[in-house]
Amino acid sequence: AQSVTQLGSHVSVSEGALVLLRCNYSSSVPPYLFWYVQYPNQGLQLLLKYTSAATLVKGINGFEAEFKKSETSFHLTKPSAHMSDAAEYFCAVTSAGSARQLTFGSGTQLTVLP
Amino acid sequence: EPEVTQTPSHQVTQMGQEVILRCVPISNHLYFYWYRQILGQKVEFLVSFYNNEISEKSEIFDDQFSVERPDGSNFTLKIRSTKLEDSAMYFCASSMGSPCFGPGTRLTVL
């Protein structure tokens, strides 16, 4: 069984500030981990993924995430927030070798303040 | 860049009616999925489809639901006898590795 917990349903940061969105997972087998972004009235866009290679993963739009097995975490960061980063962010997990069924977290709404 | 497309973008139906949601996956992908997101809730897995058959399905995906790949390009989700609680955003996805999601179909059941 797999699960994902995203701490903080709403996060607000000032433009130019660090973005940190938290994700913790539970998986009985080695996980594959994903971050997706959803802009208003749009679908889910893949930001980045971890699939057991490098633990620090770089994605699109300047985002990155670090897989920490000891902490069962996969937090998403961006050094400097931009207004266009305002969106909902979802962490998801699947098992290596599965049919790629994703289990999603409940999402974090990011607000960027001018 | 290739993308998953879905039609219609918004579907309104009466309770008890049947609806078919359509998806065109990315052409060289082999795995196809349906997910749904009830307003304000998590994105939930419904079903995965590979090699012309269902490979996994969730508890949500009961006899009311069916999927089909009627030709080489389309992937459909049929919901029979819709209920009010079927109102949600339905996302299609396809993959060779990481799932690529379509823009969704918002289903409203009245």
Side-chain angles (χ1 to χ4, degrees):
Chain A
Q2 305 161 137
S3 66
V4 173
T5 302
Q6 290 184 242
L7 292 175
S9 58
H10 290 84
V11 170
S12 293
V13 299
S14 298
E15 191 174 19
L18 172 72
V19 176
L20 171 61
L21 305 181
R22 299 179 186 275
C23 172
N24 288 87
Y25 70 91
S26 171
S27 178
S28 56
V29 296
Y32 286 179
L33 292 155
F34 303 79
W35 276 99
Y36 285 85
V37 60
Q38 185 180 29
Y39 298 101
N41 300 314
Q42 294 188 26
L44 298 162
Q45 180 182 5
L46 179 67
L47 274 178
L48 49 79
K49 63 180 178 182
Y50 166 77
T51 56
S52 75
T55 56
L56 181 62
V57 181
K58 294 187 184 299
I60 62 171
N61 302 339
F63 284 93
E64 62 182 37
E66 186 172 8
F67 173 69
K68 292 187 177 179
K69 184 178 179 180
S70 61
E71 299 177 7
T72 59
S73 69
F74 190 58
H75 301 331
L76 181 71
T77 60
K78 182 174 180 177
S80 177
H82 192 272
M83 298 297 289
S84 61
D85 295 326
E88 187 146 25
Y89 292 80
F90 292 92
C91 183
V93 63
T94 189
S95 302
S98 79
R100 301 173 176 81
Q101 170 190 335
L102 294 175
T103 299
F104 282 85
S106 53
T108 298
Q109 182 68 47
L110 175 66
T111 300
V112 182
L113 305 170
Chain B
E1 185 174 331
E3 57 184 24
V4 177
T5 60
Q6 290 185 244
T7 54
S9 57
H10 193 182
Q11 174 89 47
V12 181
T13 190
Q14 295 290 325
M15 189 170 56
Q17 296 297 303
E18 175 182 286
V19 295
I20 297 177
L21 309 183
R22 291 183 166 80
C23 169
V24 179
I26 294 173
S27 61
N28 64 338
H29 285 184
L30 300 179
Y31 295 85
F32 313 108
Y33 316 83
W34 285 100
Y35 288 79
R36 79 173 185 190
Q37 184 181 28
I38 295 172
L39 187 63
Q41 298 187 24
K42 291 186 181 185
V43 177
E44 302 172 291
F45 169 78
L46 293 178
V47 65
S48 61
F49 193 85
Y50 171 73
N51 200 25
N52 285 320
E53 61 182 23
I54 291 173
S55 49
E56 285 184 85
K57 60 181 181 179
S58 71
E59 293 176 353
I60 303 167
F61 194 87
D62 59 19
D63 292 343
Q64 183 193 8
F65 295 89
S66 62
V67 290
E68 193 176 34
R69 190 157 161 80
D71 53 41
S73 60
N74 291 286
F75 180 52
T76 62
L77 174 68
K78 181 188 290 185
I79 309 175
R80 286 180 283 275
S81 190
T82 50
K83 299 176 282 194
L84 295 176
E85 53 265 38
D86 295 328
S87 294
M89 182 74 88
Y90 287 82
F91 293 107
C92 174
S94 68
S95 77
M96 286 292 283
S98 308
C100 298
F101 285 81
T105 293
R106 181 169 297 285
L107 176 65
T108 302
V109 182
L110 303 176

